[in-house]
Amino acid sequence: MKQGWDASASPKIGDAVPRKEDQRLLLGAGQFGDDRNAPGQVYAAMVRSPHPHARILGVDASAALALPGVLCVLTGADAMADGLRPIPHSVASTGVLDVHVRNESGDPFLSDHRVLPLDKARYIGEAVAMVVAETRSAARDGAECVAVAYEPLDFTIQATQARDADAALVHDGAPQNTALDGALGDHAAVEAAFAQAAHAVKLDTWIQRVTGVPMEPRSALAVPDVASGRITLMAGGGNVVRQKRELAAVLGAPEDDVRVIAGDVGGNFGTRNAFYVEFALVAWAARRLGRPVKWTADRSESFLSDYQGRDLEAQAELALDEDGRFLALRSVNTSNIGAYSVSFGPLTKGVELATSVYAIPCARVRGRAVYTNTPPTNSYRSSGRPEAMFIMERLIDMAARQHGFDRVEIRRRNLIARDALPYTNALGLTYDSGAYERTMDAALARGAWSTFEARRAEARARGKLRGIAVANYIEIASGIPRERCEVSVDPAGRVDVVIGTLSSGQGHATSFAQLVTDAFGVRLDEVNLITGDTDRVKAGGGSHAGRSMRLAGVVIGKASAEIIDKARRIAAHAMEGRAEQIMLRDGRFSLEGSNRSLGIFDLATLSETSDALPPDLRGGLSSVCDEVSKSAGFPFGSHVCEIEIDPDTGVPEIVGYVAVDDVGRAINPLILHGQAHGAITQGLGQALFEKCHYDSGSGQLIAGSFMDYAMPKAAALPRYDTIISEQPATTNPLGVRAGGEGGTTPALAVIVNAIVDALRDHGVTHMEMPVTAASIWEAIHAADAANALASTGFSAPRRPRT
C-alpha cells in the first residue's frame, strides 16, 4: 500500500491516496446548500405543529401578512388549489436481488404525503403552513404570527401501541395503522424445529429511534425562469435524478421543466435520501412569486423534521439442538415508520438478512410497518442490517450463557462454510461468496481474545468490571440498480467523468478518479468528476445502500475500456501498425518493437482534428455506459469489543475495538479506513448515547437539541483497530462488495454484548440501548437487589420498558 500521493501522481487501484477534495473543503472553498444565493431571493419559514396529532380547524394569516416584508402565507388549502400532488415516495427496496416482504392482505396501505396537510397534523414539527418574506428574520417573525386553530387528538408514538384495536388512526379512512404485514420463511418447518429443540432462547427488545444529525442542516433554494416556466432546485440530497422526478411529480410539471443541483453535501447517512416537503414548497413558492425562494433549517427544525432512523421492536427466538447447532429462528419485527410511508427498506432488509452468516435450516420472520404520530423513518446507515445483527448476536450470546456453550465455538459451529457458497439463506436471499470463519479468527486474534481472562482478573483486582464480545455480520449492497456514466477525454489535458452517484463525504472525487488513472495512466489532477446537476447527469441512482463504488466501477470501467480500444486503433493508424501491436504502459500507447508512443491526450487531439483517420475513429475519445445491475454485493466481517466499567458510577469505557471488514476489493484503503472509523462511531453512538426520546404523555420530543440528544464525542472514542479484508465478490468485474456501512452493522451488538459480559457476575442478562452510565448503575443495583431477594425465596417484579 502506497501513501503520500499528491494530485500530480497517477495512482493505481489499491493505493492509499489522500482525498484530493479535502484541501478545497478545509480552506472553506466548499459550496454547501446555504452557501448558494440568487439575485432577488426571498426567504421561507415553516409554521410547524406543536401537537403530535391534531385536526386543523383553520389558519389565520392576517397578523403575519400585516408584518413588513411578508409576501405570502401558504397553506394546505392553497397547495390543493394549485394542484400540488403527494410526494411519490419509493417505499419498497429497489435492489434486484432483495427479497420483498409482501403484504398478506392485499396491497400495503401507503399514505398520501402532501407538502402541507389539509386535514390534520400528524407529528410534532410537521409543517402546516409556509411564510415567505423579503428577509429571513421577517419570514420567521411571520411564522410566529400565524394562528392555527387545532383540535388535539389522541396519539401514539410506539408501534406496538399503534397496532391496538382502539388506537387512534394516524390516517383517517385507513382500516388500521399497520401499513405492511407480511412474512418470509417456512412457518411449518420452524414450528416443527422448535418442537424438537433441546434448547431455545428468546429476546424481546427495542432498537431505539435515532436521527442522522448530519453536520450540514438541510437547505433548499428554488430559482424560477419566468420566461420558460422552468424551475431549478438547489438542495443537497442523495440522488438528484430521483429528486428531479419527484419534484416534477409534485408540481405536476414535465420533467424537462425541472432542474436539480446539489453541490457539496455535508453528511447524509440516509437522512437525505428521500424527498422532503420543503423542496417542493420553495419551488412552488418561487413559481407563484416569480422570485427565488430560499429556506434553511436550524438545528431544532432538523431534530423535529428530519427523517429519522431505526425504531424496531422485535420478539425473536432461536432454537438449538443439544450440541448448540442452530435449528430455527423465528421473529416478529415491528417497524415504527412514523406518520408517512417514506420507506419500508429498513424493515425488509432486516427481515431478509435475519439469519446473518449462520447456517440456520429454517426461519420465519414477520415484518410489520406501522404508522405512529412521529416523524417518518427512512434508511439510516446500513438500513435495517444493524437491527438484524443485533437480534441475532444477542440471541447467540444468550444461548451460550443460558445453556453453557462457549461464545466463540457456538458461532464457529454454525457459520456458513466457505465451500457452501453461493448460499441461499432460509429467507430466500442468496449470498455470492464469503470467508466468515476467516474474518472471525482474524478479529479474535487481533483482539487478543485468548488472553482476555487475565485482563478481566486484573480489572477485578482494581475494582472494575471488564467484558469482551465478538459479533459477526453480513449486509447487502444493492440499491437502485441503474447507473450511467459519460467518460470523455479532452485534448486540453482533462478526463471528464459524468456520473449519477453523489458524494456526501465519501471521497468520490478521489476514489472514482483512481479508476480512471488506473485505466489511462493520467494524473489524479487530470480527472474531473461531474455530479449533482440533472442538466449534466441524465440518469443514475445516487449514493445509498453501498452502491456507489460497486456500480461506478462497472460503468466507468466499461466506458474506459471502450475509449482504450478506440485509442489503441487510432495509435495503430498513426504509427502504422496493427491494433494488437499497441501496448498501453504508464499512460503511453506504444508500438511494440519501436520507440514510438503517444499519450491519450495526443490521441484525443488526433481523433478530433485528423482527417486522415477512418470515420469510425474520428469525433473524439468518449464513451457512455448505461447499465442496470442484476446483482448485489455482500460485505461481511467480524468485530471484537473490550469494555471496562466502573461499578460505582456505571461509566463504561471501550478499551479495545477491532474491526475486520471484508470489502471485496479495496480501491482506496485510506478512505475505507476512514469510512470504517465513522461507521463504527455511529454504531457506538446508538449503543451508548443516542435516542430520539418522545414523551409518552404529551408526544413532545424531549431530545430536541444537542443539550438533550447525546452524541459521541472524540474523548469517548477508543483507538479503532480497523483491518481491511479482501475476498473478491463474484458479482462485478472489480470484485467490490462495499465499504461504507460495515462498521455500523455489528457495532450495536458487539458493544452491548461486551457490556452484558462485563456485568455477568452481577446477574445482568440484557441491556437495552442506549446503554448509559445511569442504566448500567441501575442494572447493577437492581440485579444485586433481585439476587439478595431471591436468596430469601422471593422474586422481584419485572420492570416495564421505558
Side-chain angles (χ1 to χ4, degrees):
M1 181 190 300
K2 299 178 183 177
Q3 298 205 38
W5 288 95
D6 60 33
S8 63
S10 180
K12 301 294 185 183
I13 290 173
D15 287 333
V17 184
R19 302 191 334 167
K20 70 175 188 176
E21 56 266 59
D22 283 352
Q23 183 175 13
R24 174 178 63 85
L25 296 172
L26 290 170
L27 292 175
Q31 190 170 52
F32 296 89
D34 196 49
D35 294 326
R36 292 183 181 272
N37 295 286
Q41 73 186 22
V42 293
Y43 298 84
M46 304 301 153
V47 180
R48 299 190 180 275
S49 171
H51 301 283
H53 196 199
R55 200 165 304 284
I56 300 171
L57 303 178
V59 179
D60 184 355
S62 57
L65 291 169
L67 293 178
V70 172
L71 300 174
C72 65
V73 177
L74 299 175
T75 67
D78 298 318
M80 184 69 73
D82 279 7
L84 268 66
R85 302 169 184 174
I87 300 170
H89 292 299
S90 300
V91 299
S93 296
T94 52
V96 173
L97 294 187
D98 283 302
V99 183
H100 297 282
V101 177
R102 307 293 181 186
N103 198 51
E104 291 187 348
S105 56
D107 293 332
F109 173 71
L110 304 181
S111 61
D112 276 353
H113 189 186
R114 296 194 172 273
V115 294
L116 292 172
L118 186 65
D119 53 348
K120 59 182 183 177
R122 292 175 173 84
Y123 63 92
I124 285 175
E126 181 173 14
V128 296
M130 175 176 62
V131 177
V132 182
E134 294 285 355
T135 66
R136 180 172 288 155
S137 59
R140 291 183 175 182
D141 289 345
E144 291 183 3
C145 291
V146 174
V148 182
Y150 294 103
E151 177 192 346
L153 302 170
D154 291 340
F155 63 89
T156 56
I157 58 175
Q158 286 190 306
T160 50
Q161 293 174 352
R163 279 181 50 80
D164 291 345
D166 60 349
L169 290 176
V170 177
H171 296 278
D172 296 344
Q176 56 183 347
N177 285 321
T178 301
L180 174 71
D181 189 349
L184 296 178
D186 188 332
H187 176 73
V190 167
E191 293 305 306
F194 269 89
Q196 67 180 14
H199 308 293
V201 288
K202 183 175 182 179
L203 174 67
D204 185 348
T205 190
W206 175 44
I207 294 95
Q208 82 277 22
R209 178 179 288 236
V210 294
T211 187
V213 286
M215 186 177 293
E216 178 200 13
R218 288 182 292 117
S219 181
L221 171 64
V223 181
D225 185 324
V226 177
S228 68
R230 198 167 193 241
I231 194 85
T232 297
L233 173 68
M234 303 178 191
N239 181 352
V240 291
V241 174
R242 174 179 167 179
Q243 287 176 349
K244 171 181 176 171
R245 183 176 64 250
E246 291 167 334
L247 178 57
V250 173
L251 296 178
E255 288 189 22
D256 287 346
D257 287 351
V258 173
R259 179 187 186 187
V260 175
I261 297 172
D264 293 309
V265 181
N268 183 349
F269 319 122
T271 300
R272 299 183 194 271
N273 279 345
F275 193 89
Y276 279 94
V277 298
E278 292 88 356
F279 297 166
L281 288 173
V282 295
W284 172 43
R287 193 170 64 176
R288 282 178 62 116
L289 296 172
R291 295 176 66 179
V293 178
K294 182 176 181 178
W295 169 82
T296 301
D298 59 29
R299 185 59 67 181
S300 293
E301 279 187 290
S302 297
F303 275 111
L304 286 169
S305 62
D306 280 1
Y307 296 141
Q308 298 173 347
R310 311 289 190 235
D311 204 340
L312 182 82
E313 297 180 61
Q315 296 80 42
E317 296 176 89
L318 180 65
L320 307 89
D321 68 13
E322 63 276 6
D323 296 321
R325 292 197 178 275
F326 302 157
L327 299 177
L329 172 74
R330 63 186 176 196
S331 183
V332 177
N333 296 358
T334 304
S335 174
N336 183 343
I337 63 171
Y340 298 100
S341 47
V342 171
S343 176
F344 296 153
L347 174 67
T348 57
K349 286 184 180 295
V351 169
E352 68 184 357
L353 283 169
T355 56
S356 186
V357 293
Y358 303 104
I360 304 179
C362 56
R364 175 75 168 180
V365 182
R366 177 169 295 280
R368 294 168 172 164
V370 180
Y371 293 111
T372 66
N373 296 113
T374 57
T377 52
N378 191 22
S379 300
Y380 174 66
R381 199 165 191 169
S382 195
S383 184
R385 283 87 88 187
E387 298 96 305
M389 300 305 116
F390 179 82
I391 293 165
M392 190 72 238
E393 294 295 320
R394 283 296 297 126
L395 284 169
I396 295 173
D397 264 30
M398 293 169 67
R401 180 167 173 176
Q402 291 178 25
H403 302 295
F405 298 109
D406 180 84
R407 289 183 292 162
V408 171
E409 290 311 310
I410 193 175
R411 287 175 167 83
R412 191 184 308 282
R413 190 170 299 150
N414 289 283
L415 285 171
I416 299 166
R418 194 167 180 175
D419 60 8
L421 292 152
Y423 177 87
T424 301
N425 73 13
L427 298 159
L429 185 64
T430 301
Y431 312 157
D432 72 309
S433 59
Y436 309 130
E437 188 171 16
R438 188 187 71 185
T439 55
M440 186 177 75
D441 285 341
L444 293 170
R446 193 69 162 253
W449 185 278
S450 63
T451 58
F452 169 72
E453 288 304 328
R455 297 192 297 280
R456 192 199 296 270
E458 186 275 333
R460 188 179 288 120
R462 292 186 285 108
K464 307 295 185 183
L465 306 173
R466 205 169 180 109
I468 196 170
V470 61
N472 298 314
Y473 77 91
I474 190 169
E475 55 169 333
I476 181 171
S478 52
I480 294 174
R482 183 184 178 190
E483 193 51 68
R484 181 183 188 275
C485 83
E486 304 171 18
V487 179
S488 56
V489 182
D490 188 327
R494 187 183 72 243
V495 180
D496 287 333
V497 179
V498 181
I499 194 165
T501 63
L502 184 64
S503 176
S504 55
Q506 296 94 330
H508 291 179
T510 302
S511 56
F512 287 10
Q514 280 180 257
L515 302 175
V516 177
T517 60
D518 185 88
F520 296 152
V522 298
R523 302 195 312 264
L524 197 67
D525 60 1
E526 291 173 330
V527 181
N528 178 40
L529 184 66
I530 300 169
T531 64
D533 183 348
T534 57
D535 275 5
R536 296 295 307 274
V537 177
K538 306 302 181 185
S543 296
H544 63 279
R547 70 180 298 279
S548 295
M549 180 55 75
R550 185 172 55 86
L551 296 187
V554 171
V555 293
I556 293 175
K558 288 188 175 183
S560 298
E562 284 191 7
I563 289 173
I564 289 171
D565 179 69
K566 183 176 180 179
R568 179 175 282 115
R569 289 184 288 127
I570 295 171
H573 192 277
M575 291 184 279
E576 300 177 334
R578 297 189 308 277
E580 57 268 25
Q581 293 179 297
I582 303 299
M583 302 293 111
L584 173 58
R585 297 189 187 93
D586 299 324
R588 305 289 295 179
F589 290 80
S590 58
L591 179 62
E592 192 174 29
S594 77
N595 61 358
R596 301 176 66 189
S597 68
L598 292 167
I600 195 164
F601 298 117
D602 302 322
L603 296 171
T605 300
L606 284 174
S607 183
E608 290 192 7
T609 62
S610 175
D611 294 332
L613 290 175
D616 65 321
L617 299 183
R618 299 177 192 172
L621 289 179
S622 64
S623 179
V624 174
C625 182
D626 191 333
E627 287 235 340
V628 175
S629 171
K630 294 181 173 60
S631 64
F634 292 92
F636 63 91
S638 302
H639 289 199
V640 169
C641 176
E642 189 168 333
I643 202 159
E644 188 170 284
I645 296 170
D646 183 341
D648 293 331
T649 64
V651 173
E653 179 188 1
I654 297 178
V655 295
Y657 198 105
V658 173
V660 180
D661 298 312
D662 196 291
V663 300
R665 188 178 182 189
I667 305 302
N668 186 320
L670 187 62
I671 288 177
L672 283 169
H673 282 294
Q675 288 272 45
H677 287 205
I680 295 167
T681 300
Q682 286 193 269
L684 180 154
Q686 174 148 22
L688 300 180
F689 299 102
E690 300 179 51
K691 180 182 179 181
C692 291
H693 184 90
Y694 286 86
D695 179 70
S696 59
S698 66
Q700 294 290 333
L701 176 63
I702 304 302
S705 74
F706 286 130
M707 294 291 288
D708 301 297
Y709 188 91
M711 293 284 289
K713 300 177 177 64
L717 305 181
R719 184 177 181 85
Y720 301 129
D721 186 0
T722 55
I723 302 163
I724 295 172
S725 171
E726 294 184 83
Q727 171 73 29
T730 63
T731 56
N732 62 84
L734 280 179
V736 169
R737 295 182 188 274
E741 299 181 324
T744 303
T745 308
L748 281 61
V750 77
I751 291 170
V752 173
N753 277 349
I755 290 172
V756 173
D757 182 57
L759 300 177
R760 67 177 191 172
D761 290 345
H762 289 272
V764 175
T765 58
H766 180 64
M767 295 292 295
E768 289 285 83
M769 298 180 290
V771 187
T772 63
S775 68
I776 291 173
W777 188 91
E778 288 178 355
I780 290 172
H781 286 268
D784 288 349
N787 292 335
L789 189 63
S791 67
T792 67
F794 296 93
S795 61
R798 184 177 178 182
R799 296 180 62 189
R801 178 189 296 159
T802 57

